[in-house]
Amino acid sequence: MRNGAERNESAEVRAALLRLRRASGLPVAFGGLLSGSGRFRIEELTGTATTALRGLHIDTGNGLGGKAAARSRPFAVTDYHSSVVISHEYDAAVAAEGLRSVLAVPVVVRRRVRGVLYGALRQPLQLGDRPLSAALEAARELEQALVVQDEAERLLSVARQPTAADPVMWEEVREAHGALRALAQRVGDPLLRQEMLAACGRLAAASGGSREAAPVSLSPREVDVLSCVASGATNAAVAEQLGLRPETVKGYLRSAMRKLGAHTRLQAVVAARRAGLLP
């Protein structure tokens, strides 16, 4: 049974493939992430007529996707079966699906190839700029989603460790929490943004706040501002990080302080932590 992280990764790959198909006009898209050293597994398919490609293990360097992974750059062929620029270990699966023109784009996260996305036609036609641009954009969005997911999982792992009571370690968690909330506001995909904010909520809950005070409800932006303030950022720095005006930051901070019954920035941060709103 796959764990939650793997299920989330699969969901992100499916979303990326749907975006690729929609933006490129290509009828078929498929792909997958690394499943072991030097190979990745095709797990997600959309627009396919068979399951011939599902579960196919692609070794780095082999076939079109393996070449894209090995070179960390996109490649495309007009006719997969007759192409002389790729090896042909996977011809049977490609033929079973009836694919001819195929492109492959690597998914590179922190300079490491994590998987490959494919788009394909069932006719031997030259693929233009539109499909390639769409595939590159889908790969970039998937890369961003994986970075966020990796960071959230890392921070949650830190929070669960017995050494999480270490003040230095908790400061790292708190700084990353603020950065993650700020990043969420720049993500265009509303579902991904919601997932990021949910991960932030789990981090805050992991802090073990006492929640003895009456429940407090802060707006997402008020929590964003307090997250940055908690790391020692000035109003000007908070404004730059969140893409807001300094006066707007002051307004959110005043509102949060009023709701928390705090008279200073520090009191507001402490009260928010006690309420489980910040880690």
Side-chain angles (χ1 to χ4, degrees):
M1 181 180 294
R2 294 184 300 176
N3 60 34
E6 290 174 334
R7 289 194 296 271
N8 288 340
E9 287 180 349
S10 295
E12 297 296 354
V13 173
R14 283 196 298 274
L17 293 174
L18 290 173
R19 286 193 293 268
L20 190 160
R21 281 186 67 196
R22 183 170 59 249
S24 69
L26 296 177
V28 179
F30 52 98
L33 302 178
L34 284 175
S35 61
S37 178
R39 61 167 32 186
F40 60 94
R41 185 173 185 265
I42 296 176
E43 291 186 323
E44 302 300 329
L45 315 170
T46 176
T48 52
T50 73
T51 59
L53 296 168
R54 188 180 297 281
L56 197 65
H57 286 278
I58 309 297
D59 291 309
T60 300
N62 292 348
L64 182 66
K67 184 174 183 177
R71 304 284 183 87
S72 294
R73 57 190 290 272
F75 285 94
V77 294
T78 301
D79 190 343
Y80 190 98
H81 307 288
S82 64
S83 175
V84 297
V85 299
I86 60 171
S87 59
H88 291 273
E89 293 85 355
Y90 314 109
D91 279 10
V94 174
E97 185 58 42
L99 303 180
R100 304 293 292 276
S101 295
V102 186
L103 62 80
V105 176
V107 178
V108 184
V109 179
R110 293 192 174 111
R111 300 184 181 181
R112 183 170 72 94
V113 175
R114 287 277 296 273
V116 176
L117 301 181
Y118 298 81
L121 289 169
R122 292 188 171 88
Q123 300 82 31
L125 302 175
Q126 185 169 0
L127 298 173
D129 292 337
R130 178 189 171 192
L132 179 58
S133 296
L136 288 170
E137 182 61 25
R140 279 193 292 267
E141 292 183 3
L142 177 56
E143 290 157 15
Q144 184 182 51
L146 293 176
V147 167
V148 170
Q149 183 172 301
D150 289 350
E151 184 65 5
E153 290 298 323
R154 183 185 73 81
L155 293 175
L156 286 170
S157 176
V158 169
R160 295 188 189 107
Q161 293 175 7
T163 55
D166 181 349
V168 175
M169 185 170 292
W170 264 110
E171 281 308 310
E172 179 185 353
V173 172
R174 287 163 176 162
E175 288 180 10
H177 173 268
L180 197 59
R181 287 198 67 97
L183 178 62
Q185 303 308 321
R186 299 197 295 271
V187 172
D189 186 334
L191 293 179
L192 176 56
R193 188 187 313 116
Q194 184 177 358
E195 289 178 13
M196 293 168 65
L197 293 176
C200 290
R202 293 198 299 274
L203 284 173
S207 66
S210 64
R211 297 168 179 78
E212 293 176 354
V216 177
S217 178
L218 299 184
S219 73
R221 269 310 198 191
E222 288 167 351
V223 178
D224 292 339
V225 168
L226 281 179
S227 296
C228 297
V229 169
S231 67
T234 63
N235 286 352
V238 174
E240 182 177 357
Q241 189 171 355
L242 297 179
L244 300 172
R245 293 168 57 85
E247 294 78 7
T248 305
V249 169
K250 291 180 183 178
Y252 282 127
L253 185 55
R254 282 195 299 268
S255 176
M257 290 170 63
R258 183 175 61 255
K259 293 178 181 179
L260 293 164
H263 301 290
T264 68
R265 297 156 66 91
L266 178 58
Q267 287 177 356
V269 169
V270 172
R273 285 174 178 166
R274 286 176 177 169
L277 298 172
L278 294 178

